[in-house]
Coordinates of all heavy atoms in Angstrom, one line a residue:
T568 N -44.2 -42.3 -18.1 CA -45.0 -41.2 -17.4 C -44.8 -39.9 -18.0 O -45.4 -38.9 -17.6 CB -44.6 -41.2 -15.9 OG1 -43.2 -40.7 -15.8 CG2 -44.7 -42.5 -15.3
L569 N -43.9 -39.8 -19.1 CA -43.6 -38.4 -19.6 C -44.2 -38.2 -21.0 O -43.9 -37.2 -21.6 CB -42.1 -38.3 -19.7 CG -41.3 -38.4 -18.4 CD1 -39.8 -38.4 -18.6 CD2 -41.7 -37.3 -17.4
D570 N -45.0 -39.1 -21.5 CA -45.5 -39.0 -22.8 C -46.4 -37.7 -22.9 O -47.2 -37.5 -22.1 CB -46.4 -40.2 -23.2 CG -45.5 -41.5 -23.3 OD1 -44.3 -41.4 -23.4 OD2 -46.1 -42.6 -23.4
G571 N -46.2 -37.0 -24.0 CA -47.0 -35.8 -24.2 C -46.5 -34.6 -23.5 O -47.1 -33.5 -23.8
L572 N -45.5 -34.7 -22.7 CA -45.0 -33.5 -22.0 C -43.9 -32.8 -22.8 O -43.2 -33.4 -23.6 CB -44.4 -33.9 -20.7 CG -45.3 -34.6 -19.6 CD1 -44.5 -34.8 -18.3 CD2 -46.5 -33.8 -19.4
S573 N -43.8 -31.5 -22.7 CA -42.8 -30.7 -23.3 C -41.5 -31.0 -22.6 O -41.4 -31.5 -21.5 CB -43.1 -29.2 -23.3 OG -43.0 -28.7 -21.9
D574 N -40.3 -30.6 -23.3 CA -39.0 -30.7 -22.6 C -39.0 -30.0 -21.3 O -38.4 -30.6 -20.3 CB -37.9 -30.2 -23.6 CG -37.7 -31.1 -24.8 OD1 -38.4 -32.2 -24.8 OD2 -37.0 -30.7 -25.7
A575 N -39.5 -28.8 -21.2 CA -39.5 -28.1 -20.0 C -40.3 -28.8 -18.9 O -39.9 -28.8 -17.7 CB -40.1 -26.7 -20.2
E576 N -41.4 -29.4 -19.3 CA -42.2 -30.1 -18.3 C -41.5 -31.4 -17.8 O -41.6 -31.8 -16.7 CB -43.6 -30.5 -18.9 CG -44.5 -29.3 -19.1 CD -45.7 -29.6 -19.9 OE1 -45.7 -30.5 -20.8 OE2 -46.8 -28.9 -19.7
V577 N -40.8 -32.0 -18.8 CA -40.0 -33.2 -18.4 C -38.9 -32.8 -17.3 O -38.8 -33.5 -16.3 CB -39.3 -33.8 -19.6 CG1 -38.2 -34.9 -19.2 CG2 -40.3 -34.5 -20.5
M578 N -38.3 -31.7 -17.5 CA -37.3 -31.3 -16.6 C -37.9 -30.9 -15.2 O -37.3 -31.1 -14.2 CB -36.5 -30.1 -17.1 CG -35.7 -30.4 -18.4 SD -34.6 -31.9 -18.2 CE -33.3 -31.2 -17.1
D579 N -39.1 -30.4 -15.2 CA -39.9 -30.2 -14.0 C -40.1 -31.5 -13.2 O -39.8 -31.6 -12.0 CB -41.2 -29.6 -14.3 CG -41.1 -28.1 -14.7 OD1 -40.1 -27.5 -14.4 OD2 -42.1 -27.6 -15.3
K580 N -40.5 -32.6 -14.0 CA -40.7 -33.9 -13.4 C -39.4 -34.4 -12.8 O -39.4 -35.2 -11.8 CB -41.3 -34.8 -14.4 CG -42.7 -34.5 -14.9 CD -43.7 -34.9 -13.8 CE -45.1 -34.8 -14.3 NZ -46.1 -35.2 -13.3
L581 N -38.3 -34.1 -13.4 CA -37.0 -34.6 -13.0 C -36.5 -33.8 -11.8 O -35.4 -34.2 -11.2 CB -36.0 -34.6 -14.1 CG -36.3 -35.5 -15.3 CD1 -35.1 -35.3 -16.3 CD2 -36.5 -36.9 -14.9
G582 N -37.1 -32.7 -11.4 CA -36.7 -31.9 -10.3 C -35.6 -30.9 -10.7 O -34.9 -30.4 -9.8
H583 N -35.6 -30.5 -12.0 CA -34.6 -29.6 -12.5 C -35.3 -28.5 -13.3 O -35.0 -28.3 -14.5 CB -33.5 -30.2 -13.3 CG -32.8 -31.3 -12.5 ND1 -31.9 -31.0 -11.5 CD2 -32.8 -32.7 -12.7 CE1 -31.4 -32.2 -11.0 NE2 -31.9 -33.2 -11.7
T584 N -36.2 -27.8 -12.6 CA -37.0 -26.8 -13.3 C -36.1 -25.7 -13.8 O -35.2 -25.2 -13.1 CB -38.0 -26.2 -12.3 OG1 -38.9 -27.2 -11.8 CG2 -38.8 -25.1 -13.0
G585 N -36.3 -25.3 -15.1 CA -35.6 -24.2 -15.7 C -34.3 -24.6 -16.3 O -33.6 -23.8 -17.0
V586 N -33.9 -25.9 -16.2 CA -32.6 -26.4 -16.8 C -32.9 -26.8 -18.3 O -33.9 -27.6 -18.5 CB -32.0 -27.5 -16.0 CG1 -30.8 -28.1 -16.7 CG2 -31.7 -27.1 -14.6
F587 N -32.1 -26.3 -19.2 CA -32.3 -26.7 -20.6 C -31.7 -28.2 -20.7 O -30.6 -28.4 -20.3 CB -31.6 -25.8 -21.5 CG -31.8 -26.1 -23.0 CD1 -33.1 -26.0 -23.5 CD2 -30.7 -26.4 -23.8 CE1 -33.3 -26.3 -24.9 CE2 -30.9 -26.6 -25.2 CZ -32.2 -26.6 -25.7
P588 N -32.5 -29.1 -21.3 CA -32.1 -30.5 -21.2 C -31.0 -30.9 -22.1 O -30.3 -32.0 -21.9 CB -33.4 -31.2 -21.6 CG -34.1 -30.3 -22.5 CD -33.8 -28.9 -21.9
E589 N -30.7 -30.2 -23.2 CA -29.7 -30.7 -24.2 C -28.4 -30.9 -23.5 O -27.8 -30.0 -22.8 CB -29.6 -29.7 -25.3 CG -29.0 -30.3 -26.6 CD -30.0 -31.3 -27.2 OE1 -30.9 -30.9 -27.9 OE2 -29.8 -32.5 -26.9
G590 N -27.8 -32.0 -23.7 CA -26.4 -32.3 -23.2 C -26.3 -32.6 -21.7 O -25.2 -32.8 -21.2
R591 N -27.5 -32.7 -21.0 CA -27.4 -32.8 -19.6 C -27.6 -34.3 -19.1 O -27.7 -34.5 -17.9 CB -28.5 -32.0 -18.9 CG -28.4 -30.5 -19.2 CD -27.1 -29.9 -18.8 NE -26.7 -30.0 -17.4 CZ -26.8 -29.0 -16.6 NH1 -27.1 -27.8 -16.9 NH2 -26.5 -29.3 -15.3
F592 N -27.5 -35.2 -20.0 CA -27.6 -36.6 -19.7 C -26.4 -37.4 -20.2 O -25.9 -37.1 -21.3 CB -28.9 -37.2 -20.3 CG -30.1 -36.5 -19.8 CD1 -30.6 -35.3 -20.4 CD2 -30.8 -36.9 -18.6 CE1 -31.7 -34.6 -20.0 CE2 -31.9 -36.2 -18.1 CZ -32.4 -35.1 -18.8

């Protein structure tokens, strides 16, 4: 469901708006 989304948009979908994704998994 995340194809084509930017990293920021992915984090929005995960419910963590504004969080930089690197190292958070």
